[in-house]
Amino acid sequence: MRGRAALTVSLGVFLCSATTAASADALLSNLDESSDVGIVVGTPADSSTPGPAEAIRFQTGSGERGYNITSVKAVLVDAAASDGVRVRIFRARSNGTPYLSLYTLSNPTIADGTLTFNAPASAYLKSNTPYFVVFDSTAWDTGDDYEIRGTESESLNSAATGWSLNTDRHSGTEDSTYWTTGSAVPLIEISGDAVVRSNDATLSALSMSDGTPRFVTVLSPGFDTSMTSYTSSAAAVIDQITIEGTATNADGATVAYLDGDDQTLADADGVKEGFQVDLEVGANTIKVRVTAEDGTTTRTYTLVVTRDEPLASPDALLSNLDEPNVTSLYAGTPTRKIRWTLAVGFETGSNEGGYTLTSVKGVVSFNTASSGMRVRIFSSTAEGRPGDSLYTLSSTANNIGVRTFEAPADATLESDTSYLVVFDTANSRVGKYYKLREGLINLGFAPRVGVGGL
């Protein structure tokens, strides 16, 4: 554990390490300004509470196609690898605070002095747009802190056309919408170059469709040219999606679709418009790689689409468990005046010997203690209402979520016949009830062979 270095010592370190002029490719720099303040990041030796992240807002210039970013320089004091030094670039919220990490820069050997943190090859920033350089620590132990040197000066030593640095810094946490401000500006330098047509490897649009309005499969967060990582989820019934990436330089750049191992994907359906990708259950990594007109500059956008595990049993002869739903229905007696019974009608198939019923599944979203949850099979009247109770199903579990109710061994159903699954409670007391997700059931059958069957 280390305490804070004295201000006079820190100032001496800075004066020895920042006497050089701004780099030739600097888009923005205040490194040659006076070192007035030490800004602490991490958990100091005299505190058990991790310190906030420190951020400085900047505005990119008016370059028509934006900017490729190569590095950020900063001046550190009392710094070591164990301090968990981390430098990132964030988008900015409309209220002027950091929002969503875009790029994590790679660390050099951590020591005191002016250090260069290199940006990933895909680091791109849009023109005329506010962003943040954010300093924080991935270490949590007391004494794992470091200092960024800052200045009270508002002057810049170097700035490309239109680039500017905010006149104060922000302190807060990554997921907070409230950040405090301080008067000292970190000493930083942002380097890179303006994008031109020949090396433009950006996408102007990235869309994803599952082909049905019932299941919404969207990018999270929403597409931004400068963001390269996205996630999405797909319902269990979605086994294929359509992806379309549009290169900003549509006439010169090329777009390829790759899997998680960087192997080129083939269009799963050459008839449909766009590029189709088959989805397996679980996480599916899909990469959209843009190669610029110069043939060497590339940029990769990564999507991780997680397809839900099917709730329906593989051998179910009738199921709608994986359909979308928005409501839950009561069964039982939630109040003195109402006792709810739920009934779902179904019709068996044409198997000559009929069917043996093995189980019924439903999605239970709420259940009171001792509700006496009951599931039965009824015959159907001509009007489609429950007739006679034929079988009572049992369940030893009391779980919320997908619940299986086992049919008795003699539960048989005739072919081409209408029945109802009825959900209610054996306990009629007020306050004894449960909720079932609307319309979600799974019927397990085994076809019967011949008269009398199995």
Side-chain angles (χ1 to χ4, degrees):
M1 296 187 296
R2 301 181 307 280
R4 284 269 54 79
L7 179 59
T8 53
V9 174
S10 298
L11 181 57
V13 170
F14 169 70
L15 290 176
C16 291
S17 60
T19 56
T20 58
S23 303
D25 60 350
L27 295 168
L28 183 72
S29 179
N30 67 349
L31 278 184
D32 292 336
E33 295 302 302
S34 59
S35 173
D36 304 318
V37 178
I39 304 167
V40 178
V41 178
T43 309
D46 57 357
S47 173
S48 60
T49 303
E54 300 292 342
I56 178 65
R57 183 157 54 98
F58 64 93
Q59 177 95 7
T60 58
S62 55
E64 181 182 359
R65 292 179 175 268
Y67 301 85
N68 290 319
I69 304 303
T70 56
S71 66
V72 171
K73 289 183 179 180
V75 183
L76 304 189
V77 172
D78 196 23
S82 60
D83 295 326
V85 177
R86 182 169 62 175
V87 181
R88 291 178 289 173
I89 295 178
F90 275 62
R91 285 170 57 179
R93 288 188 177 91
S94 58
N95 67 356
T97 58
Y99 171 64
L100 289 178
S101 174
L102 296 177
Y103 313 112
T104 298
L105 284 67
S106 61
N107 287 357
T109 300
I110 300 299
D112 292 348
T114 303
L115 303 183
T116 300
F117 299 85
N118 291 315
S122 61
Y124 164 87
L125 301 180
K126 294 186 291 187
S127 61
N128 299 313
T129 303
Y131 294 94
F132 281 87
V133 176
V134 176
F135 301 87
D136 68 353
S137 172
T138 59
W140 293 88
D141 292 338
T142 299
D144 287 337
D145 61 331
Y146 62 96
E147 183 179 287
I148 310 165
R149 293 308 302 171
T151 180
E152 299 279 355
S153 171
E154 298 179 7
S155 299
L156 294 174
N157 311 130
S158 177
T161 303
W163 281 71
S164 62
L165 191 66
N166 203 38
T167 56
D168 55 19
R169 77 174 194 276
H170 293 64
S171 298
T173 58
E174 180 178 346
D175 57 354
S176 173
T177 57
Y178 177 75
W179 290 63
T180 60
T181 57
S183 59
V185 179
L187 291 161
I188 66 169
E189 178 176 287
I190 303 171
S191 294
D193 56 85
V195 174
V196 294
R197 183 179 179 84
S198 64
N199 70 354
D200 189 346
T202 63
L203 288 178
S204 61
L206 179 61
S207 64
M208 183 170 61
S209 170
D210 52 36
T212 170
R214 296 179 303 158
F215 303 93
V216 180
T217 305
V218 297
L219 296 176
S220 177
F223 177 71
D224 185 306
T225 303
S226 56
M227 178 165 282
T228 55
S229 296
Y230 299 89
T231 60
S232 184
S233 59
V237 297
I238 301 300
D239 58 6
Q240 189 179 92
I241 58 173
T242 299
I243 298 177
E244 187 166 1
T246 303
T248 305
N249 181 10
D251 297 328
T254 59
V255 177
Y257 300 92
L258 314 173
D259 63 16
D261 296 321
D262 291 332
Q263 299 300 306
T264 302
L265 290 168
D267 191 337
D269 190 333
V271 177
K272 291 182 181 179
E273 186 177 349
F275 191 89
Q276 280 71 45
V277 178
D278 290 331
L279 296 181
E280 298 179 353
V281 172
N284 298 261
T285 299
I286 306 164
K287 297 181 178 180
V288 184
R289 177 167 297 167
V290 185
T291 301
E293 189 175 12
D294 63 12
T296 57
T297 305
T298 63
R299 181 175 170 81
T300 302
Y301 296 79
T302 302
L303 296 72
V304 178
V305 183
T306 302
R307 180 184 172 196
D308 294 339
E309 187 83 29
L311 298 179
S313 302
D315 57 351
L317 296 184
L318 179 68
S319 179
N320 62 356
L321 282 184
D322 292 306
E323 288 296 305
N325 60 88
V326 293
T327 60
S328 294
L329 302 177
Y330 285 96
T333 313
T335 67
R336 291 182 180 277
K337 296 182 179 181
I338 300 177
R339 185 176 184 187
W340 294 98
T341 296
L342 304 179
V344 181
F346 65 94
E347 185 169 340
T348 58
S350 56
N351 182 61
E352 183 178 354
Y355 299 86
T356 297
L357 176 67
T358 57
S359 64
V360 171
K361 288 183 179 180
V363 181
V364 180
S365 59
F366 177 82
N367 188 23
T368 59
S370 304
S371 66
M373 186 183 301
R374 183 170 57 180
V375 179
R376 290 177 289 174
I377 301 296
F378 277 68
S379 63
S380 176
T381 66
E383 296 76 25
R385 295 179 177 276
D388 297 326
S389 175
L390 303 177
Y391 309 110
T392 298
L393 286 73
S394 62
S395 174
T396 57
N398 193 35
N399 59 294
I400 301 299
V402 179
R403 183 119 168 233
T404 301
F405 300 87
E406 303 291 343
D410 62 347
T412 59
L413 302 174
E414 300 298 324
S415 62
D416 299 313
T417 304
S418 296
Y419 296 92
L420 295 99
V421 181
V422 175
F423 300 86
D424 65 356
T425 58
N427 190 338
S428 60
R429 291 173 54 194
V430 175
K432 300 302 179 183
Y433 66 96
Y434 58 97
K435 292 182 180 180
L436 193 75
R437 299 290 285 274
E438 182 179 8
L440 298 187
I441 63 168
N442 182 108
L443 301 179
F445 293 93
R448 287 165 53 82
V449 180
V451 178
L454 296 175

